[in-house]
Amino acid sequence: MTRLPEDLLPALRDALGEAGLIADAERMQSYLSDWRNTYRGQAAAVLRPGTTEEVAAAVRLCAQAGVALVPQGGNTGLCGGSIPDASGAQMVLSLTRLKRIREVDVANATITVEAGVILQQLQDAAAEVGRLFPLSLGAEGSCTVGGNLATNAGGTAVLRYGNMRDLTLGLEVVLPDGRIWDGLRGLRKDNTGYDLKQLFIGSEGTLGIITAAVLKLFPALRSLTTAWVALPSPQAAVTLLGQMRGLCGDRLTGFELMSRQSLEFVLRHVAGASDPFAEGHPWYVLIELSDTQPDAALNDLLEQGLGEAFEQALVLDAVVAGSQAQVEALWALREGISEAQNHEGPSLKHDISVPVSRIPDFIARTDRALQQAFPGVRIVAYGHVGDGNLHYNISKPPGSDDVPFKAQAEAIMRVIYDSTLEDDGSISAEHGLGQSKRAAAQHYKAPLELELMRSIKQALDPAGLMNPGKLL
């Protein structure tokens, strides 16, 4: 472990108070590994500032001492972006004490929140004033706004509302030298040069520390209908998506694709899960329509769209939820896939995106290549087909050993990412790069893009102290 300057920890304790500094090895443990225990590191200390000014003080002191910082929110990421390295020389900077909702401006349809606010708390605060904050994902009960911004989180409603980048109007950021950039402007039009906030959204804490944000609010939803639909193929899903968008417009707020293999894992391992149909089908989509009007006749619209699809043989079967309990049961089938797959042994997860029109070809080509190269592997393909984002995960063949399968992880990844590149896609749609995809990004991103990213990093963080070893 690199030796810290003797006066650094006392100075940090003075700046942050007793509650703001953890140096005890046992108390630090929960900050040093991710929730899946896939990534583990060491740290000289964990810093827990309670205000933006305390964040700035901590950053300034560490910059002067040449000590690297690893920002951390709810620590729910999948790519190791918020975990320090093994040196023990870095410090974790936890933003979870920055949890104030600073302002709700109903007339401007905005809410200003600090980085440590949990996503579900943000959703609830919006609902209290009759508004909607639409970002929704599986970890919403524990992930934080800062982490959502740092990874440009997506989720299930991107089809209608966009990802975190689209939902953000302004940011407050502590820069690598400890200065505070106040960009908390709730403006939808501000054409005064570079849009600086976009540099920090999706940067995974490598350019500065996001401490607060001005976010968009939307009218509350008062009508909703949900259907579980069986399909013969991914091509049928893409065709149905186009038809439903043409019929329903922005009322189409969810369109989730799942393979039969995905559903079988859920039925096997998630308590209370049941198949909506008497027989299995190759593919499924979960469709959600919503509207701000209380009596929007969404069921009629949904049934019209599905009826037309039945006549074209796009749909094999369908069930429309008749109650809120049934809505929740259908969504549980979709949201239980990732957890269910973990019960089948090691899970090789790949979060990719391709143009929506290319999804059928991508799945067919990649399935074929994997089965030829790695016979018997089980492909768990599902995701947000409405925005081209697939979670294309791989489980080992039934009854096989874990160790040989995990040894093939790099080769399997190459097949999937090569196929993604063939369709001009991305190797990370919504999870970021962190440390898990850092090396892959060097291979799959264009050299000029990497050069520009390094130039931005050098301009803002010349000492390389902001989350080193992530992204680049």
Side-chain angles (χ1 to χ4, degrees), residues 116-168:
V117 172
I118 292 172
L119 175 55
Q120 189 168 18
Q121 295 172 339
L122 168 56
Q123 296 167 342
D124 291 344
E128 287 176 4
V129 295
R131 296 296 183 267
L132 169 73
F133 185 73
L135 184 71
S136 180
L137 41 91
E140 62 192 30
S142 53
C143 65
T144 61
V145 171
N148 298 150
L149 288 161
T151 57
N152 187 29
T156 59
V158 172
L159 172 64
R160 165 63 181 88
Y161 298 99
N163 52 25
M164 202 63 174
R165 191 181 299 281
D166 302 297
L167 300 173
T168 305

Side-chain angles (χ1 to χ4, degrees), residues 132 134 156-157 159-161 218-227 244 248-255 287-299 301-302 327 331:
L132 169 73
T156 59
L159 172 64
R160 165 63 181 88
Y161 298 99
F218 295 82
L221 300 176
R222 293 180 171 84
S223 295
L224 185 143
T225 189
T226 307
M244 293 300 296
C248 305
D250 282 347
R251 294 185 183 91
L252 182 63
T253 48
F255 200 94
I287 301 175
E288 181 179 273
L289 304 182
S290 62
D291 200 286
T292 59
Q293 298 300 311
D295 300 307
L298 295 179
N299 277 359
L301 201 59
L302 181 59
V327 169
W331 273 104

